[in-house]
mmCIF file of all heavy atoms in Angstrom:
data_model
loop_
_atom_site.group_PDB
_atom_site.id
_atom_site.type_symbol
_atom_site.label_atom_id
_atom_site.label_comp_id
_atom_site.label_asym_id
_atom_site.label_seq_id
_atom_site.Cartn_x
_atom_site.Cartn_y
_atom_site.Cartn_z
ATOM 1 N N GLN O 698 7.235 -0.187 0.444
ATOM 2 C CA GLN O 698 7.673 1.203 0.369
ATOM 3 C C GLN O 698 6.464 2.081 0.066
ATOM 4 O O GLN O 698 5.681 1.797 -0.838
ATOM 5 C CB GLN O 698 8.710 1.364 -0.744
ATOM 6 C CG GLN O 698 9.072 2.790 -1.098
ATOM 7 C CD GLN O 698 9.893 3.483 -0.032
ATOM 8 O OE1 GLN O 698 10.946 2.972 0.373
ATOM 9 N NE2 GLN O 698 9.435 4.635 0.433
ATOM 10 N N THR O 699 6.309 3.173 0.823
ATOM 11 C CA THR O 699 5.245 4.120 0.512
ATOM 12 C C THR O 699 5.681 5.043 -0.627
ATOM 13 O O THR O 699 6.855 5.385 -0.767
ATOM 14 C CB THR O 699 4.860 4.960 1.745
ATOM 15 O OG1 THR O 699 6.035 5.354 2.466
ATOM 16 C CG2 THR O 699 3.949 4.178 2.671
ATOM 17 N N ILE O 700 4.696 5.440 -1.443
ATOM 18 C CA ILE O 700 4.936 6.336 -2.573
ATOM 19 C C ILE O 700 3.947 7.496 -2.496
ATOM 20 O O ILE O 700 2.968 7.442 -1.741
ATOM 21 C CB ILE O 700 4.801 5.600 -3.919
ATOM 22 C CG1 ILE O 700 3.379 5.049 -4.107
ATOM 23 C CG2 ILE O 700 5.833 4.485 -4.022
ATOM 24 C CD1 ILE O 700 3.132 4.416 -5.477
ATOM 25 N N ASP O 701 4.209 8.553 -3.284
ATOM 26 C CA ASP O 701 3.402 9.760 -3.086
ATOM 27 C C ASP O 701 2.086 9.783 -3.866
ATOM 28 O O ASP O 701 1.461 10.840 -3.986
ATOM 29 C CB ASP O 701 4.216 11.030 -3.323
ATOM 30 C CG ASP O 701 4.732 11.181 -4.749
ATOM 31 O OD1 ASP O 701 4.456 10.288 -5.583
ATOM 32 O OD2 ASP O 701 5.422 12.182 -5.022
ATOM 33 N N LEU O 702 1.626 8.661 -4.344
ATOM 34 C CA LEU O 702 0.225 8.495 -4.723
ATOM 35 C C LEU O 702 -0.584 8.447 -3.425
ATOM 36 O O LEU O 702 -0.236 7.694 -2.508
ATOM 37 C CB LEU O 702 0.040 7.201 -5.514
ATOM 38 C CG LEU O 702 -1.391 6.705 -5.746
ATOM 39 C CD1 LEU O 702 -2.207 7.698 -6.546
ATOM 40 C CD2 LEU O 702 -1.376 5.331 -6.410
ATOM 41 N N HIS O 703 -1.642 9.254 -3.322
ATOM 42 C CA HIS O 703 -2.336 9.303 -2.037
ATOM 43 C C HIS O 703 -3.813 9.645 -2.195
ATOM 44 O O HIS O 703 -4.226 10.302 -3.154
ATOM 45 C CB HIS O 703 -1.683 10.346 -1.113
ATOM 46 C CG HIS O 703 -1.741 11.742 -1.672
ATOM 47 N ND1 HIS O 703 -0.776 12.258 -2.497
ATOM 48 C CD2 HIS O 703 -2.672 12.732 -1.525
ATOM 49 C CE1 HIS O 703 -1.085 13.492 -2.829
ATOM 50 N NE2 HIS O 703 -2.239 13.800 -2.274
ATOM 51 N N ASP O 704 -4.598 9.179 -1.235
ATOM 52 C CA ASP O 704 -5.942 9.675 -0.997
ATOM 53 C C ASP O 704 -5.842 10.842 -0.017
ATOM 54 O O ASP O 704 -4.825 10.988 0.681
ATOM 55 C CB ASP O 704 -6.833 8.593 -0.377
ATOM 56 C CG ASP O 704 -7.101 7.424 -1.316
ATOM 57 O OD1 ASP O 704 -6.854 7.562 -2.531
ATOM 58 O OD2 ASP O 704 -7.539 6.371 -0.818
ATOM 59 N N ILE O 705 -6.880 11.646 0.047
ATOM 60 C CA ILE O 705 -6.981 12.677 1.088
ATOM 61 C C ILE O 705 -8.174 12.333 1.960
ATOM 62 O O ILE O 705 -9.303 12.195 1.473
ATOM 63 C CB ILE O 705 -7.126 14.084 0.500
ATOM 64 C CG1 ILE O 705 -5.869 14.444 -0.303
ATOM 65 C CG2 ILE O 705 -7.346 15.107 1.619
ATOM 66 C CD1 ILE O 705 -5.927 15.800 -0.978
ATOM 67 N N VAL O 706 -7.908 12.164 3.235
ATOM 68 C CA VAL O 706 -8.929 11.737 4.193
ATOM 69 C C VAL O 706 -9.176 12.873 5.182
ATOM 70 O O VAL O 706 -8.240 13.345 5.835
ATOM 71 C CB VAL O 706 -8.490 10.456 4.940
ATOM 72 C CG1 VAL O 706 -9.555 10.045 5.956
ATOM 73 C CG2 VAL O 706 -8.239 9.327 3.946
ATOM 74 N N THR O 707 -10.421 13.319 5.279
ATOM 75 C CA THR O 707 -10.805 14.376 6.221
ATOM 76 C C THR O 707 -11.752 13.791 7.256
ATOM 77 O O THR O 707 -12.736 13.124 6.911
ATOM 78 C CB THR O 707 -11.487 15.546 5.486
ATOM 79 O OG1 THR O 707 -10.566 16.096 4.537
ATOM 80 C CG2 THR O 707 -11.915 16.627 6.464
ATOM 81 N N VAL O 708 -11.429 14.020 8.516
ATOM 82 C CA VAL O 708 -12.204 13.463 9.633
ATOM 83 C C VAL O 708 -12.654 14.618 10.523
ATOM 84 O O VAL O 708 -11.836 15.443 10.955
ATOM 85 C CB VAL O 708 -11.358 12.460 10.438
ATOM 86 C CG1 VAL O 708 -12.175 11.888 11.602
ATOM 87 C CG2 VAL O 708 -10.876 11.328 9.535
ATOM 88 N N LYS O 709 -13.940 14.668 10.793
ATOM 89 C CA LYS O 709 -14.527 15.752 11.596
ATOM 90 C C LYS O 709 -15.289 15.167 12.775
ATOM 91 O O LYS O 709 -16.046 14.202 12.628
ATOM 92 C CB LYS O 709 -15.469 16.590 10.728
ATOM 93 C CG LYS O 709 -16.065 17.799 11.435
ATOM 94 C CD LYS O 709 -16.937 18.617 10.478
ATOM 95 C CE LYS O 709 -17.540 19.818 11.181
ATOM 96 N NZ LYS O 709 -18.387 20.617 10.257
ATOM 97 N N LYS O 710 -15.097 15.771 13.935
ATOM 98 C CA LYS O 710 -15.785 15.326 15.151
ATOM 99 C C LYS O 710 -17.294 15.459 15.029
ATOM 100 O O LYS O 710 -17.813 16.380 14.401
ATOM 101 C CB LYS O 710 -15.347 16.175 16.343
ATOM 102 C CG LYS O 710 -14.027 15.828 16.978
ATOM 103 C CD LYS O 710 -13.804 16.743 18.175
ATOM 104 C CE LYS O 710 -12.512 16.444 18.901
ATOM 105 N NZ LYS O 710 -12.303 17.385 20.033
ATOM 106 N N ARG O 711 -17.991 14.516 15.662
ATOM 107 C CA ARG O 711 -19.422 14.601 15.860
ATOM 108 C C ARG O 711 -19.717 14.740 17.350
ATOM 109 O O ARG O 711 -18.839 14.493 18.193
ATOM 110 C CB ARG O 711 -20.117 13.350 15.306
ATOM 111 C CG ARG O 711 -20.042 13.218 13.783
ATOM 112 C CD ARG O 711 -20.787 11.975 13.315
ATOM 113 N NE ARG O 711 -22.190 12.009 13.704
ATOM 114 C CZ ARG O 711 -23.150 12.580 12.975
ATOM 115 N NH1 ARG O 711 -22.860 13.151 11.826
ATOM 116 N NH2 ARG O 711 -24.406 12.573 13.390
ATOM 117 N N LYS O 712 -20.967 15.088 17.672
ATOM 118 C CA LYS O 712 -21.370 15.207 19.071
ATOM 119 C C LYS O 712 -22.120 13.977 19.559
ATOM 120 O O LYS O 712 -22.618 13.953 20.679
ATOM 121 C CB LYS O 712 -22.230 16.460 19.264
ATOM 122 C CG LYS O 712 -21.457 17.751 19.001
ATOM 123 C CD LYS O 712 -22.326 18.981 19.226
ATOM 124 C CE LYS O 712 -21.545 20.264 18.968
ATOM 125 N NZ LYS O 712 -22.368 21.483 19.176
ATOM 126 N N ASP O 713 -22.209 12.946 18.689
ATOM 127 C CA ASP O 713 -22.860 11.703 19.079
ATOM 128 C C ASP O 713 -21.905 10.547 18.799
ATOM 129 O O ASP O 713 -20.724 10.757 18.534
ATOM 130 C CB ASP O 713 -24.195 11.528 18.339
ATOM 131 C CG ASP O 713 -24.031 11.601 16.820
ATOM 132 O OD1 ASP O 713 -22.917 11.305 16.319
ATOM 133 O OD2 ASP O 713 -24.999 11.950 16.121
#
Side-chain angles (χ1 to χ4, degrees):
Q698 170 71 54
T699 41
I700 62 175
D701 63 0
L702 167 62
H703 61 271
D704 294 345
I705 297 178
V706 179
T707 299
V708 180
K709 184 177 180 180
K710 280 182 179 178
R711 293 182 59 87
K712 295 181 180 180
D713 55 25

